[in-house]
Amino acid sequence: MNRLVGLVDKLRRERILQPGEFIELLNNPDEQSRKYLFAQAVEVRRQIYGDEVYIRGLIEFTNYCRNNCYYCGIRRDNSSLQRYRLTPEEITTCCDQGYALGIRSFVLQGGEDAANNDAYMVEIIRAIKSRFPDCAVTLSIGERSRDSYQTLFAAGADRYLLRHETANEAHYVSLHPSTMSWAHRRRCIEQLKEIGYQVGCGFMVGSPGQTWQHLADDLLYIRNLEPHMVGIGPFIPQHDTPFAHYPAGSVELTLILLAVIRLLLPDVLLPATTALGTLCANGRERGLLAGANVVMPNISPAYARENYLLYDNKLNSGSEAVEGYYELLRSIEGIGYHAVSARGDCKRL
Ligand code: 5AD
């Protein structure tokens, strides 16, 4: 039998592989093994989530950021960016529009903006939860103190996304300035879990300096952490960052990693990300066909979308945006899935 097909079977059965086995599977698998991997991922996903795809309304509410990550377009030192911050009223208007479309899960994503103090975030969380008690609120606002995470959880936030970025410390150091710490980021993720959030981690595929071993480390980290959500997408260079001249990550490898993560954590919530859709015309659909089960259309106002430029050519219109919502639903139906109007919680027992 094809050795890699055997590894896929082992991964499905045991939900883990040795680091060397992960690397074998990721590194340019033959057509037969790739197809087999995707088929297994889709089947595992179907057993738990049927043909349902969950929708998250993404609100990019501020692009101010105190951090200076070498890869990110909204880094502090990027002065060619128009900075903006939505008002609480603008944020609730986004939610109104999303709710009318059937969206029951909102993600508040922003840079690490000093204006996002606890009192302000509590006000926004309370406003959304009191207006839409049937909706989930997810925060994606970076590293904070344990007390702050606790306060925002008590105010009603349900979920928190904080990508670990890389499970390898030396690699983390090469992607971030020395003001940021790999250990601190991991501690934040641990604390979020302890507090009771549904937690999401994740990483970029093909970030500068990433090796096969780093990816194996990421997979083992994810397996041990058992997050409810995992966000991965290809690295895409942004022209005003120190990493402007590095090549983008591979769509193919991203798809393989989505499938592997589905087999590692069968019930995980796995988005087909905007970065994947940006690099490849039908990237989102291919993500869903590799085991993803979540899409996150952007429901921010157009002026915000135009300036939340994490990377070059970031999609911000069509089915990526609120105006293209019905197009998004059609594209999901078109590949045999069904977008549901629900909070879309993780079906972990
Ligand atoms: N390419 C792809 N993803 C990026 N992110 C930031 N910059 C880029 C880029 N240039 C991702 C990071 C971050 C998330 C919000 O976006 O992983 O955690």
Side-chain angles (χ1 to χ4, degrees), residues 120-138:
Y120 181 71
M121 292 311 303
V122 164
E123 176 193 332
I124 294 175
I125 295 162
R126 289 224 177 101
I128 299 176
K129 291 297 270 194
S130 61
R131 205 168 167 117
F132 310 106
D134 53 337
C135 292
V137 170
T138 303

Side-chain angles (χ1 to χ4, degrees), residues 239-257:
H239 62 278
D240 287 316
T241 63
F243 288 169
H245 300 295
Y246 282 92
S250 148
V251 168
E252 200 50 55
L253 180 57
T254 305
L255 296 170
I256 291 168
L257 281 158

Side-chain angles (χ1 to χ4, degrees), residues 71-72 109 163 165 204 234-236 310-311:
Y71 47 85
C72 184
Q109 183 165 93
R163 288 189 176 182
E165 308 298 356
M204 294 177 287
F235 162 75
I236 304 176
L310 303 179
Y311 44 82

Side-chain angles (χ1 to χ4, degrees), residues 198-263:
Q198 296 175 44
V199 171
C201 68
F203 60 92
M204 294 177 287
V205 179
S207 57
Q210 185 178 66
T211 65
W212 297 110
Q213 182 61 50
H214 295 157
L215 288 172
D217 292 346
D218 286 321
L219 294 172
L220 293 174
Y221 172 73
I222 288 170
R223 172 65 207 274
N224 289 330
L225 179 70
E226 295 203 292
H228 303 85
M229 308 170 278
V230 176
I232 68 163
F235 162 75
I236 304 176
Q238 205 280 356
H239 62 278
D240 287 316
T241 63
F243 288 169
H245 300 295
Y246 282 92
S250 148
V251 168
E252 200 50 55
L253 180 57
T254 305
L255 296 170
I256 291 168
L257 281 158
L258 284 170
V260 167
I261 293 167
R262 171 62 62 203
L263 296 179

Side-chain angles (χ1 to χ4, degrees), residues 27-150:
N27 189 355
N28 205 15
D30 59 276
E31 179 80 9
Q32 183 200 10
S33 315
R34 233 180 38 235
K35 284 202 170 131
Y36 189 68
L37 171 66
F38 294 148
Q40 296 300 305
V42 163
E43 190 183 317
V44 162
R45 173 215 131 96
R46 184 170 297 276
Q47 281 173 0
I48 298 172
Y49 291 101
D51 63 0
E52 296 190 342
V53 172
Y54 296 144
I55 313 283
R56 318 295 190 205
L58 180 63
I59 305 169
E60 293 166 338
F61 72 103
T62 172
N63 70 352
Y64 285 89
C65 192
R66 65 179 166 148
N67 291 328
N68 232 347
C69 308
Y70 301 144
Y71 47 85
C72 184
I74 68 167
R75 64 201 304 272
R76 185 185 62 222
D77 285 356
N78 183 3
S79 54
S80 39
L81 196 68
Q82 184 77 34
R83 300 284 170 172
Y84 72 89
R85 188 179 286 134
L86 300 187
T87 64
E89 294 69 36
E90 285 176 305
I91 294 172
T92 39
T93 301
C94 292
C95 297
D96 283 335
Q97 288 175 355
Y99 194 90
L101 293 170
I103 294 174
R104 298 293 178 269
S105 167
F106 299 109
V107 180
L108 293 171
Q109 183 165 93
E112 293 195 14
D113 180 349
N116 300 342
N117 59 39
D118 286 355
Y120 181 71
M121 292 311 303
V122 164
E123 176 193 332
I124 294 175
I125 295 162
R126 289 224 177 101
I128 299 176
K129 291 297 270 194
S130 61
R131 205 168 167 117
F132 310 106
D134 53 337
C135 292
V137 170
T138 303
L139 303 178
S140 179
I141 52 174
E143 296 179 34
R144 305 173 75 90
S145 68
R146 191 184 212 287
D147 281 354
S148 171
Y149 289 144
Q150 184 72 62

